[in-house]
Amino acid sequence: MRRAWEPRYTMVDAWRGLASLGVVCDHLGPDLGFNLGHACVMVFFVISGYCIAASTDSCRRNNVGPAGYMWRRVRRIYPPYFFAVCFFLATRFLKMRAGMGDQISHSVLVWIQNLTMTQWLSMLAHPTSYAHQNTSLFVAGFWSLNYEEQFYLVMGLIMFAAVYVRKGMLTAIVALMVPALVWNLYHPSLSYGFFLEYWIAFALGSLVFYRLCKAASSRSRAAIDLALILLLVFSLYRNLTTHFAGRSVYFEWIVTSAFALLLVYLRPWDQRFKESKLGVVLGAFGLISYSLYLTHQCNFHSSAVVASRLIGWGLPRMSEFPIRLAFMCAVAAVFWYFCERPFLNKPLPGRGLVVKSVS
């Protein structure tokens, strides 16, 4: 007999920090022959699924309805995003003043799309291999937020329906995986910007939450584990037997299913990790991960200038990469303090989980 885990999973923050660093390193470093940045975004989607499933569960337990849930999501995500857009525009203006060309769009529609995170609408008629190739994006890295915005809206609708019919949300989350599978099997290498393309990754994170924190029996936990393993094996096989020049949904499912299984089986080690020095350091990166994700692509030129100056003053040439990485992390930390920290949601009053004994 054992008890369900608490929703708070410290290691998730560490993985979020590592994923954000992986995205930055992929953008700064040489071509490794492996799409590290894209794999890290897949990790973000799984983490997002876990966190949003935990958030909606908390909202339901604390009588916070769908409107309250959506307000908390918008308040948490949009203000830092808006400031990041302003930060991008400021850097483009400075580059224009320095004679480096006008990189600011003059399309009203593009401005509206970027201010509302609806750039993905342009992709419905003009699909691309990867969503970051969407020409409507001010910053290519913001592509994943287009999907996150849709995930939050869909989860809000599922929560509304669950409250109305007085049922759990898991059935609807899993049911949506069916059209998502069909969509991706039919379009395995194209991106239309529609949430179904990455719903599998998001849903896997939600399944991890229910498996760790809500599952009432060993049979239901085993069923989730088996589903994750089968998806991993199927994706490995298809990825080995199918070649794609660009995006491969099977590669994405390998990353997401393997990471979901990793989250499940590392859960007993979370407390020990939390108390370790490594846990503290990676947790700090997890804290600023959203800010790092939002700001790093605006700092390519400035970080290169800083590295060049420091190398010119005597630092070895091999220090260029760590200098640029450290500069981007420092900018992200400042951005987090002034533009993200004020909009963090306060934790809802804790009622604790309805802890169930499971065999």
Side-chain angles (χ1 to χ4, degrees), residues 22-330:
V23 170
V24 177
C25 290
D26 184 62
H27 289 164
L28 284 178
D31 185 6
L32 302 174
F34 168 70
N35 201 335
L36 175 63
H38 194 66
C40 289
V41 175
M42 296 303 101
V43 169
F44 272 124
F45 283 158
V46 176
I47 291 174
S48 179
Y50 180 93
C51 294
I52 297 306
S55 176
T56 52
D57 182 72
S58 177
C59 285
R60 290 194 65 188
R61 287 187 287 106
N62 287 279
N63 295 321
V64 176
Y69 155 79
M70 287 302 301
W71 169 245
R72 288 174 65 85
R73 287 295 91 210
V74 170
R75 185 181 186 275
R76 174 68 183 90
I77 297 299
Y78 188 78
Y81 170 78
F82 175 78
F83 287 123
V85 170
C86 294
F87 182 57
F88 163 78
L89 293 173
T91 59
R92 298 313 96 174
F93 179 74
L94 291 175
K95 290 182 74 172
M96 184 171 60
R97 291 290 299 270
M100 301 176 67
D102 184 0
Q103 300 176 356
I104 300 176
S105 173
H106 297 279
S107 167
V108 175
L109 177 60
V110 169
W111 273 83
I112 293 173
Q113 288 179 305
N114 278 271
L115 289 174
T116 58
M117 294 189 197
T118 55
Q119 303 97 321
W120 63 275
L121 291 171
S122 298
M123 296 179 61
L124 293 176
H126 305 285
T128 60
S129 180
Y130 288 102
H132 66 75
Q133 296 168 333
N134 182 1
T135 57
S136 296
L137 292 163
F138 278 172
V139 180
F142 291 171
W143 71 271
S144 62
L145 297 177
N146 287 187
Y147 291 95
E148 293 281 0
E149 180 186 45
Q150 295 178 69
F151 294 154
Y152 300 156
L153 178 59
V154 171
M155 286 295 282
L157 293 173
I158 290 175
M159 183 181 178
F160 176 82
V163 170
Y164 182 77
V165 301
R166 298 182 180 181
K167 298 290 184 180
M169 299 176 60
L170 182 60
T171 301
I173 293 171
V174 173
L176 271 177
M177 294 179 74
V178 176
L181 280 168
V182 173
W183 178 288
N184 282 284
L185 292 174
Y186 192 71
H187 302 291
S189 60
L190 284 178
S191 300
Y192 286 84
F194 194 48
F195 81 95
L196 283 179
E197 288 163 1
Y198 290 107
W199 183 257
I200 297 296
F202 184 85
L204 291 183
S206 300
L207 282 176
V208 170
F209 168 76
Y210 282 98
R211 190 263 187 239
L212 292 175
C213 307
K214 305 290 287 184
S217 68
S218 58
R219 181 175 296 180
S220 58
R221 296 195 304 275
I224 292 174
D225 293 351
L226 179 60
L228 294 174
I229 292 170
L230 289 175
L231 178 61
L232 176 59
V233 172
F234 169 75
S235 302
L236 283 167
Y237 170 75
R238 290 294 294 166
N239 198 60
L240 289 172
T241 57
T242 311
H243 174 72
F244 296 105
R247 178 196 175 208
S248 167
V249 70
Y250 305 115
F251 167 76
E252 295 169 354
W253 289 350
I254 290 170
V255 174
T256 53
S257 56
F259 180 64
L261 285 166
L262 191 65
L263 288 179
V264 168
Y265 291 106
L266 285 179
R267 185 62 181 87
W269 300 89
D270 190 56
Q271 186 59 36
R272 182 177 297 182
F273 176 80
K274 179 180 179 181
E275 296 169 354
S276 68
K277 292 181 179 179
L278 181 63
V280 173
V281 172
L282 292 181
F285 279 110
L287 187 67
I288 66 167
S289 60
Y290 184 42
S291 291
L292 181 59
Y293 193 73
L294 288 173
T295 60
H296 78 277
Q297 282 192 291
C298 303
N299 292 316
F300 284 143
H301 178 70
S302 55
S303 65
V305 170
V306 170
S308 178
R309 293 282 179 86
L310 292 177
I311 291 171
W313 291 344
L315 290 179
R317 172 62 60 180
M318 62 183 298
S319 65
E320 179 181 1
F321 179 85
I323 290 172
R324 295 185 69 182
L325 181 60
F327 178 83
M328 290 183 174
C329 289

